[in-house]
Each structure stands twice: as C-alpha cells, then as structure tokens.
Amino acid sequence: MPLALLLPLLAQVGVGPALPQAPLPDPRKKDAPAMTQSAAPAQPTMLQQCLGLAMERPSDGIEVADGWLAKAKTQAERAGAKQCKAMALTRIEGWEPAAALFLSARDELPASERGERGRLGSLGGNAWIVAGDVDQALAALDLAHGDAAAAGDAKLDGLIQIDRARALVALGRQDEAAQALAEARRLVPENAQGWLLSATLSRRMGKLAEAQQQIQRAAELFPIDPEIGLEAGVIAVLSGRDEAARLSWLSAIKTAPGSPAAKTAQGYLDQLGPPAAQPGR
C-alpha cells in the first residue's frame, strides 16, 4: 500500500553557521624574507594569537580584541581586531554583532585585497543568516560573491553561492536559488553539500528526476553523510519507490546512530511500516 502523504518535506536548505574551522589568513601579513636554515620558527601573528584565544576563551578573546582595536593605528590592525572579536562573539552566539563586525573588518581592507574581503563578507553573511536577518545576509553574500569572483577564487565563490542559495530559499526565491546552486556545482563540483542542497531544492520544486540525479552524486562524493541518506529516502518515497526509501533511511540510521538525522529517519520508517510480504512466504 502506498505511503500516506504524512511526511513533511525533509532536509530543507539549511541556515546553520558555516564558519571556518581554522583562522583566516592574516590580512596584514607581508612576504617574509627567506629564512636561513638556522633561523628561529616564525612566531604567531597578533591575529593568529587573538583568534586562537577567541575560539578557546571567547570572553578573553573579546577583551584582547577590544584592547587591540583601541591601540590600532592602521586599517589592517583594525580589520584584524574586528575579525577576532567577531569570531569570539560567534562562540557565544552573538550572531548579530558578529555579522556587523565581520563586515566592518571587510570594509577596513583595501579594495585590492578582494580574496580576504570575500572571506570576511562570507563570514558576515553566514552570521546574519543565523541571526535571522536573511535580507542582510543576502546583501553581504552578494558583496562576498563579487569579491571572490574578482579575486578569481573559484572555491570561495562556489561556497558563497551555496550560502546565497540558502538565503534565497529562505526569502522564497527558489528559481534564483537554483541558479546559485547550479553555479556552485560548476565552481566546486566535488562539494557534496552543494549537490545535497541542489537535490533538496529540486525535490521541493517538484523536479524529482533532477533531484534523484543530484542526490546520487552527493552520495558518491560523501557516502557516509546521514543527511544525504535522509534526503535520498524522501526523494525515493515521493517517487513511489518505498523500498528504496527504506534502504536509504536505514543507511542514515546505520551511519550515525542516535543523531538527529537518524531519529528523523526512524520516524519515517515507522510511518512507512514493515516491508511488503514477499510472494510465497
């Protein structure tokens, strides 16, 4: 018997933070002279030290960043201090002030540093998404996209396009989101998240054949992601392939038992019911 249409649409294009796991390069850093074999190891820059503190002890990171900003004499120093404070604020969920600071840090950098401006703009856009202001997020990400494109940084631009798609979906602009994801797939074709979000959006737009192709590519790139298994099951069940859906949801549970994705998958399996009896059994 076909599954009743009890399933809510799963795995909507997410709006979670996409902050980097490592500090950004120091925008103040210049080419260092060649080191001799006996030279001492390079010491961490002020920005690196501040970012490390911000990630481990945010309140201390904020204090250090404020002190650095008060004494800053150059735009590069102000950019570093603001970036550090913004990163510390993300650790304590101060998303709105963090977003404003990331963008202020971007504006401190000269126009020639398009790559760094793009990274900071991207961080600001992501922080605005988490803060719930999607309009501001899209404006920041559009700036970041322009910077990354001008810098010729395809990887950064592709990741920004994925974030732009998230914001566009949240604003109900699905066709534009699909265009952003198509560009992301061109720029970063090995990024499984871009294919997963593409499949989710295609499914939401009723393009199940496209969604199936996209989720298959996501699974090829990252076969152990439970979110991919979860989405694959939704696409399968909406296409009338209940047993394929069952296998996908079981894979999500096996891959990450106890995770939110696994719990959702189990709920869907409960709705789907037991497997159909085989003839002759």
Side-chain angles (χ1 to χ4, degrees), residues 26-275:
D26 184 353
R28 301 171 296 117
K29 187 176 181 181
K30 304 299 180 183
D31 291 336
M35 295 177 62
T36 64
Q37 193 170 15
S38 60
Q43 296 299 311
T45 66
M46 179 63 184
L47 178 59
Q48 290 168 336
Q49 292 176 359
C50 190
L51 286 172
L53 188 62
M55 298 299 284
E56 294 180 9
R57 302 201 305 276
S59 59
D60 291 341
I62 290 171
E63 183 177 349
V64 168
D66 281 338
W68 184 14
L69 185 59
K71 298 177 182 178
K73 296 180 180 179
T74 67
Q75 286 182 296
E77 289 180 320
R78 289 194 292 273
K82 290 177 181 180
Q83 181 188 158
C84 179
K85 183 173 181 178
M87 193 65 74
L89 285 167
T90 68
R91 304 293 286 177
I92 56 174
E93 300 187 2
W95 297 107
E96 188 170 334
L101 276 170
F102 278 130
L103 293 168
S104 182
R106 170 197 177 271
D107 292 341
E108 294 281 3
L109 297 178
S112 59
E113 295 192 28
R114 299 301 293 267
E116 293 304 321
R117 285 168 66 92
R119 288 181 178 84
L120 290 169
S122 175
L123 289 170
N126 274 277
W128 275 126
I129 288 176
V130 185
D133 193 329
V134 188
D135 288 303
Q136 294 240 52
L138 184 58
L141 292 167
D142 284 346
L143 287 175
H145 160 56
D147 286 330
D153 192 333
K155 182 177 180 180
L156 175 61
D157 197 12
L159 297 176
I160 291 169
Q161 292 287 13
I162 291 173
D163 291 330
R164 288 188 67 249
R166 290 187 173 104
L168 287 163
V169 166
L171 291 169
R173 295 159 62 178
Q174 292 188 338
D175 289 338
E176 292 173 77
Q179 292 173 5
L181 286 171
E183 186 66 2
R185 297 194 302 273
R186 184 185 71 81
L187 292 167
V188 283
E190 302 304 307
N191 185 287
Q193 185 74 358
W195 288 96
L196 168 59
L197 298 182
S198 296
T200 301
L201 182 57
S202 293
R203 184 256 300 163
R204 291 179 65 184
M205 296 174 74
K207 300 177 181 179
L208 294 180
E210 290 183 25
Q212 181 61 37
Q213 293 176 350
Q214 290 159 349
I215 202 65
Q216 284 180 198
R217 183 58 181 148
E220 290 169 2
L221 291 169
F222 196 6
I224 60 171
D225 186 343
E227 296 291 343
I228 292 174
L230 194 60
E231 179 62 35
V234 177
I235 293 169
V237 82
L238 292 176
S239 303
R241 298 180 291 113
D242 289 6
E243 292 311 307
R246 187 188 311 279
L247 291 174
S248 293
W249 290 332
L250 287 171
S251 76
I253 295 170
K254 182 179 180 180
T255 298
S259 67
K263 292 176 182 178
T264 301
Q266 185 60 59
Y268 283 4
L269 285 170
D270 292 343
Q271 292 184 58
L272 191 59

